[in-house]
Amino acid sequence: MTVLLPVEIMKIALEEARTAAAENEVPIGAVLDLGDGSLIRGHNRAEAEGPLAHAELIVLERALKEKGREAVGRATLFVTVEPCIMCLGAMVHARIGGLVYGAPEPKFGGIGILEQARKEGRYPYSFPVHAGLMEEEAALLMKEFFGRLR
Amino acid sequence: MTVLLPVEIMKIALEEARTAAAENEVPIGAVLDLGDGSLIRGHNRAEAEGPLAHAELIVLERALKEKGREAVGRATLFVTVEPCIMCLGAMVHARIGGLVYGAPEPKFGGIGILEQARKEGRYPYSFPVHAGLMEEEAALLMKEFFGRLR
């Protein structure tokens, strides 16, 4: 069983983000580390498949289907960019083991929103969150993509 | 073309919620009114299909697939219970035309959270929300269901 370091897993998520960019999708990639040496990887497919096809949701749905709820509860989700409230809500419902993300997302990022909700006694299920892993690389991909669009 | 009144559409959503209860699922139903006389209905299937199979997400995904983004942008989603942040985020991404819901949900309801996020300049896309339609009926179904579980 090969166990990868967080930075190595995030590099795979960044590869996924680059694949998204090549498909003219907002470059966000996600990798679920199931902790047993297996990974489930995916990237944003919102243009091709519809506005709910975020990298995180694609990966979570596949993991729930293929590995089951218990395995997802032990897994850590790596995402290149701060997840939105839809994907964070999905992580709460799926009782994800943990979250690691790269760059903050000022418009749709939902980490602060979820924290505020917890303070108000909502969304009582919490999981460890680590922000900023390979932030510069993830942010640069987003900047290049939106720069190209202009 | 038969146009149904909001209360008639919510009655169909309540039927869906009762179907969920009969399947031992938390009794939440949703109906998407496409405004052309056609409806897409669904109910919570979290136990049977996995923790992301909320009524709203099921209905939205079907509508996006079968009717497309423009039709969803003109549609109104009726839900028996206040949606969670996952489903509200999905409505934002799908640019739903409007939302009508019945009973408030103190633990996972996300309406206040989304409003707060908008005040902070996040989630700039907003849509009309009407709360409390047939609230008592929807709340009673939830109360009966959780009473039965105890």
Side-chain angles (χ1 to χ4, degrees):
Chain A
M1 171 173 131
T2 314
V3 174
L4 294 173
L5 296 171
V7 68
E8 293 172 312
I9 299 173
M10 190 59 98
K11 277 183 187 169
I12 299 172
L14 285 162
E15 272 176 34
E16 287 289 330
R18 279 182 209 103
T19 303
E23 293 171 3
N24 289 312
E25 301 274 1
V26 175
I28 301 176
V31 176
L32 191 70
D33 173 18
L34 287 137
D36 62 356
S38 67
L39 304 175
I40 292 182
R41 48 196 285 178
H43 58 267
N44 177 39
R45 297 267 300 153
E47 291 301 320
E49 287 177 25
L52 312 187
H54 286 198
E56 302 94 313
L57 218 54
I58 291 169
V59 161
L60 272 177
E61 282 180 347
R62 240 188 81 197
L64 286 164
K65 203 174 162 186
E66 293 175 11
K67 306 280 182 171
R69 295 189 194 204
E70 277 186 44
V72 171
R74 289 187 300 265
T76 302
L77 188 60
F78 288 73
V79 197
T80 57
V81 172
E82 181 185 354
C84 74
I85 57 169
M86 175 179 75
C87 293
L88 285 167
M91 289 173 217
V92 170
H93 297 310
R95 298 192 164 263
I96 192 87
L99 168 66
V100 178
Y101 71 88
E105 216 293 316
K107 202 164 156 189
F108 289 104
I111 290 287
I113 297 166
L114 186 60
E115 275 169 13
Q116 183 58 35
R118 280 188 194 134
K119 278 185 201 152
E120 293 166 11
R122 289 174 187 244
Y123 291 84
Y125 173 71
S126 93
F127 46 84
V129 176
H130 179 92
L133 182 65
M134 303 192 75
E135 174 178 343
E136 289 75 16
E137 289 83 346
L140 185 63
L141 281 176
M142 294 287 274
K143 202 181 151 192
E144 283 174 352
F145 181 81
F146 287 108
R148 245 201 303 164
L149 286 187
R150 263 173 230 122
Chain B
M1 171 173 131
T2 313
V3 175
L4 294 173
L5 295 171
V7 68
E8 294 172 311
I9 298 172
M10 191 58 97
K11 277 183 187 169
I12 299 171
L14 285 162
E15 273 176 34
E16 287 289 329
R18 278 183 211 103
T19 304
E23 294 170 5
N24 290 313
E25 300 276 0
V26 175
I28 301 177
V31 176
L32 191 70
D33 173 17
L34 288 138
D36 62 356
S38 68
L39 303 174
I40 292 181
R41 49 196 285 179
H43 58 267
N44 177 39
R45 298 267 298 152
E47 290 302 321
E49 287 176 26
L52 313 187
H54 286 198
E56 303 94 312
L57 217 53
I58 290 169
V59 161
L60 273 177
E61 281 180 348
R62 239 188 82 195
L64 286 163
K65 203 174 162 184
E66 292 175 11
K67 307 279 182 172
R69 294 187 195 206
E70 277 186 42
V72 171
R74 289 188 300 266
T76 302
L77 187 60
F78 289 73
V79 195
T80 58
V81 172
E82 181 185 354
C84 73
I85 57 169
M86 175 180 74
C87 293
L88 286 167
M91 290 174 218
V92 169
H93 297 310
R95 298 192 165 262
I96 192 86
L99 168 67
V100 179
Y101 71 88
E105 216 293 316
K107 202 163 155 190
F108 288 104
I111 290 289
I113 297 166
L114 186 60
E115 276 169 11
Q116 183 58 36
R118 280 188 193 132
K119 278 184 200 152
E120 293 166 11
R122 287 172 188 246
Y123 291 84
Y125 173 71
S126 92
F127 47 83
V129 176
H130 179 92
L133 183 65
M134 304 194 73
E135 174 178 343
E136 288 76 15
E137 290 84 346
L140 185 63
L141 282 176
M142 293 286 275
K143 202 181 149 191
E144 283 173 352
F145 182 81
F146 287 107
R148 244 199 306 162
L149 284 190
R150 263 173 229 122

